[in-house]
Amino acid sequence: MRAFVLTGPGEGSVQEVPVPVAAPGDVVVEVERVGVCGTDVELFTGELSYLQTGHSSYPLRPGHEWCGRVTQVGDGVDPAWLGRRVMGDTMLGDRVCRPCRRGQQHVCEHRQEVGIRGDRPGALAEQLAVPAWSLKELPGTVDEVLGALVEPGGNAWRAAHAAEVGAGERALVLGPGTIGLLTALFLRASGAEVHLLGVTGESLAFARGLGFHSAWTRETLPDLPFDAVVDASTAAGSPALALDLVQPAGRLVCIGIAGTPSTVDTRTLLLKDVTAVGILSGSPGLDATIAAYAGGAVDPRPLVAATVGLDGVAAVLAGGRPEGAGPGPKVHVDPRAG
Ligand SMILES: [Zn+2]
């Protein structure tokens, strides 16, 4: 079958690889749609920290935001999975350590991450093998585009949930990229007044097109009380800025990650009685995200700018925009498209 494989920093191509066979406990999925995200770009450029720590190494097949249809089940797997449309958790804990036994396998020290860490091939291929226990069934109202947006949506749902705001309250999201916009959509669905802070005119115009009319730059941001501030940016100074902007007794949520350490003055944190929360993974938010998409409370499909085949992945990872791409921040891949 065809798969996209990274062989070193800046080196990636479509290769012929063996078709996966479902091992005991696993399923094989025919992949319908895969999202390309910032982690994939860092795997391509060689900047991802896991490449330095040895958690990831080349050759490597990326792809962790995916959906598809189950075509094979291994020994011990309920055959009822066959034919079902599914997405899967990126985080695959060892299922024996203390965090795993507490239902927190996304922070398992020994975890694999599909398409990222621990030599677990990702979804940029015609077929993908994953453990059956990591699957989530997708209802009929969650199409392929939504299905591949469940994984990033799970991260964003958790960030919005951690902000703990609702009707009559105001939230600010720093960074109008995919995760920032998804978080803003979930915050809006919770009834909060949502503001976005960005850098480029293009990204802010796109946010306004989604109905976020309070989309500001640092220069135009109004002096308003924000009950929660979510940092979904990649700027090293953003966590400290978020702490400055949040109201006393408010919530500071960190889901963006910078290439260098971010410092915050914890005296400000405690003198303002602010609660700070870090979000690593979408795992605990996948079910809620599927429900929000299925019921129409949140529809992130406009975020997808273009859908390419496996042959188009290298150019996207190198920073190119597919021909005819819309203004959204997300590019999808359909491995059946060539
Ligand atoms: Zn574990």
Side-chain angles (χ1 to χ4, degrees):
M1 68 167 181
R2 301 172 79 238
F4 180 82
V5 181
L6 293 173
T7 47
E11 296 172 12
S13 61
V14 178
Q15 299 183 3
E16 281 292 326
V17 304
V19 171
V21 176
D26 282 4
V27 301
V28 171
V29 173
E30 183 189 41
V31 181
E32 295 176 335
R33 203 58 57 90
V34 192
V36 177
C37 91
T39 300
D40 301 318
V41 172
E42 291 187 2
L43 284 168
F44 175 73
T45 61
E47 289 167 306
L48 192 77
S49 63
Y50 287 168
L51 290 165
Q52 279 83 57
T53 58
H55 288 111
S56 307
S57 59
Y58 303 111
L60 188 154
R61 185 207 302 169
H64 60 278
E65 303 177 356
W66 61 269
C67 68
R69 195 174 290 278
V70 177
T71 56
Q72 284 180 47
V73 295
D75 282 351
V77 177
D78 185 350
W81 279 110
L82 284 168
R84 287 191 191 166
R85 291 187 57 254
V86 296
M87 62 78 60
D89 197 334
T90 303
M91 304 304 214
L92 304 178
D94 62 10
R95 308 190 80 201
V96 296
C97 72
R98 186 168 184 272
C100 281
R101 283 186 279 113
R102 289 160 58 92
Q104 296 160 339
Q105 52 96 16
H106 63 292
V107 293
C108 172
E109 194 182 339
H110 308 291
R111 70 183 180 274
Q112 294 181 309
E113 299 180 17
V114 175
I116 301 172
R117 165 172 160 148
D119 208 20
R120 176 54 86 155
L124 283 172
E126 293 177 72
Q127 297 184 55
L128 170 70
V130 290
W133 64 260
S134 70
L135 297 177
K136 303 284 184 188
E137 185 171 10
L138 297 174
T141 48
V142 175
D143 66 13
E144 295 170 353
V145 181
L146 287 170
L149 286 165
V150 170
E151 204 276 349
N155 283 276
W157 180 88
R158 290 189 67 210
H161 187 70
E164 291 190 355
V165 290
E169 296 179 299
R170 184 182 293 116
L172 173 66
V173 179
L174 311 184
T178 297
I179 294 295
L181 290 169
L182 283 166
T183 303
L185 289 167
F186 281 110
L187 286 166
R188 184 165 69 186
S190 74
E193 178 187 313
V194 182
H195 294 246
L196 283 149
L197 181 64
V199 175
T200 69
E202 291 82 1
S203 67
L204 294 171
F206 182 73
R208 286 190 197 96
L210 294 173
F212 295 108
H213 299 292
S214 300
W216 315 102
T217 64
R218 190 75 188 88
E219 289 68 40
T220 62
L221 182 71
D223 184 16
L224 290 168
F226 295 107
D227 302 297
V229 180
V230 178
D231 174 28
S233 82
T234 56
S238 283
L241 174 63
L243 180 56
D244 281 341
L245 292 171
V246 74
Q247 279 288 288
R251 312 270 300 184
L252 164 61
V253 182
C254 295
I255 190 165
I257 190 162
T260 55
S262 298
T263 53
V264 293
D265 189 338
T266 56
R267 291 172 296 187
T268 311
L269 190 77
L270 77 90
L271 289 169
K272 292 178 78 170
D273 198 35
V274 162
T275 302
V277 184
I279 307 282
L280 169 68
S281 130
S283 303
L286 298 176
D287 291 321
T289 300
I290 292 168
Y293 291 177
V298 169
D299 184 357
R301 286 174 289 191
L303 271 60
V304 179
T307 303
V308 301
L310 289 171
D311 290 329
V313 173
V316 171
L317 291 176
R321 295 288 287 178
E323 200 175 327
K330 175 64 70 180
V331 173
H332 271 179
V333 181
D334 183 345
R336 303 163 298 182

